[in-house]
Amino acid sequence: MKKIVLAYSGGLDTTCLIPWLKENYKADVVAYCALLGESEDVEELKNRAKQAGADDFHFKDLTEEFIEDYAFPALRVGAVYEDTYLLATALARPLIVKWQVKVAEETGADAVAHGCTGKGNDQVRFEVAAMTLNPKLKNLAPVREWEFTSRADELEYLKKKGLTIKDKGGGKYSIDRNIWGISVECGALEDPWTAPPRDTYIIVNPIEEAPDTAEEVIVEFEKGVPVKVNGEKLSPVDLVKKLNTIAGKHGVGRVDMVENRVVGIKSREVYEFPAARVLFNAIRALEALVLEKEFILNKRKLAMEYARLVYEGKWFSPLRESIQNFADTTANRLTGEVRVKLYKGNAVVTGTRSPYSMYVEELATYTDKDTFSHKDAEGFINLWGLPYKVWGSVKDDS
Ligand code: ARG
């Protein structure tokens, strides 16, 4: 092996991985860092990687691409894993890998590496994405096999190598954060009976601390893409940031769940995704107004499959893409406004309007404006119920 591109986060594991990979594979190590909406000090990351012995450092700000080509498409489909998780971590991995593979190709590397453990979903996502995008690249996952069993071991190793690197501390939880959402696990959360401690609240207020007065936001969509909040035109990234702040303040967008990981383990996770929660509720309401019944019904079923595919690391699969295309077939009609009331952890839709609305007041009304043909209902019901009339008339002796 000549060169390895390591997905570098700046944490202790991936910092330790730099000298470890160099020692164990006798290869050059390129530290590759991706930003997804977090305010990282890039210079500091670069210095840290260089201090640890990285031969090269590559940095990519993927925030915009993440929201536009990953988060919003999943939003248009309506993807929710196990009815609860809006997939922030899972959506980020394929994009991180996409650029990791590009860096590998540009720098003539023959392998990519990540710092995931053997117990999680992220290792699956990293490796499946990399093998789909460039099957020739070797996938390395040293944390699954290396000799260290604690942070102290890793610090000791760095010391032995003569590398003085500050331990930024591991924190009480394992946290993965991007602009679309935050995942919190481990620590006190490992006992599913323990209520999430106050310090697991990161951008969402606990309900008790949320304002006592409700706040309304109007979200405007154009062809399935959210474009305005309260009449103000915003870039996708700014729109998400804004909704994160407003909805987070009202305690909106937190879930606490026990989920099924790809590797068979059940794990207890807390997620925060205030903007995503508002946008999901809003687009679902808009959909109800403008799309026809059969399409909605089937879209919901496929959205479940789509969420599972994304969760399981199959973003770059033909089925994921096909479901995306299916959902996007009608996205041009997802144009309109949704009013959402934010109050004590809730994001309640209180109104929808659209130029493509299928809601016809003269059909729905119970007043004298009614144009619906009541008479037609009789024949319709006779035929609709016919199979059951026959079923009910057959003698059943069992
Ligand atoms: N369980 C979540 C997922 O699979 C979150 C994983 C979070 N990763 C982490 N390093 N804390 O998407």
Side-chain angles (χ1 to χ4, degrees), residues 217-265:
V217 286
I218 294 173
V219 182
E220 191 171 329
F221 292 86
E222 229 173 77
K223 299 185 194 299
V225 178
V227 291
K228 284 186 194 170
V229 172
N230 295 332
E232 185 188 358
K233 181 128 183 110
L234 294 164
S235 73
V237 169
D238 288 341
L239 184 138
V240 170
K241 283 187 181 159
K242 181 163 190 140
L243 285 178
N244 271 338
T245 308
I246 305 178
K249 181 178 76 191
H250 285 279
V252 166
R254 234 180 104 93
V255 295
D256 174 3
M257 72 187 288
V258 171
E259 76 191 31
N260 292 293
R261 282 194 192 163
V262 187
V263 295
I265 300 170

Side-chain angles (χ1 to χ4, degrees), residues 26 31 56 63 74 77 106 121 143 225 230 264 284 335-336 345 363:
K26 311 274 176 273
D56 198 357
T63 313
V77 173
E106 275 164 29
N121 298 316
V143 175
V225 178
N230 295 332
R284 191 169 257 247
T335 294
L363 290 177

Side-chain angles (χ1 to χ4, degrees), residues 104-256:
E105 287 164 351
E106 275 164 29
T107 59
D110 32 27
V112 285
H114 62 75
C116 307
T117 69
K119 299 186 75 169
N121 298 316
D122 288 333
Q123 53 172 346
V124 180
R125 297 169 185 150
F126 266 102
E127 293 174 47
V128 173
M131 63 178 85
T132 314
L133 294 175
N134 188 339
K136 290 206 189 87
L137 285 171
K138 211 172 151 39
N139 263 305
L140 303 177
V143 175
R144 282 203 300 248
E145 62 203 79
W146 69 6
E147 58 277 30
F148 314 128
T149 54
S150 67
R151 296 180 71 82
D153 284 356
E154 293 175 39
L155 288 165
E156 184 57 35
Y157 173 77
L158 288 171
K159 212 165 109 197
K160 264 211 320 254
K161 290 249 138 202
L163 301 166
T164 38
I165 282 163
K166 257 207 307 211
D167 181 17
K168 291 195 281 187
K172 286 196 215 157
Y173 307 100
S174 168
I175 296 177
D176 180 69
R177 181 170 184 168
N178 65 51
I179 182 176
W180 194 236
I182 303 176
S183 312
V184 189
E185 56 190 23
C186 305
L189 296 173
E190 283 187 356
D191 174 2
W193 176 248
T194 300
R198 178 65 183 85
D199 59 3
T200 63
Y201 289 77
I202 301 168
I203 55 168
V204 176
N205 261 334
I207 290 168
E208 302 80 4
E209 294 169 32
D212 292 325
T213 36
E215 182 170 350
E216 270 181 351
V217 286
I218 294 173
V219 182
E220 191 171 329
F221 292 86
E222 229 173 77
K223 299 185 194 299
V225 178
V227 291
K228 284 186 194 170
V229 172
N230 295 332
E232 185 188 358
K233 181 128 183 110
L234 294 164
S235 73
V237 169
D238 288 341
L239 184 138
V240 170
K241 283 187 181 159
K242 181 163 190 140
L243 285 178
N244 271 338
T245 308
I246 305 178
K249 181 178 76 191
H250 285 279
V252 166
R254 234 180 104 93
V255 295
D256 174 3

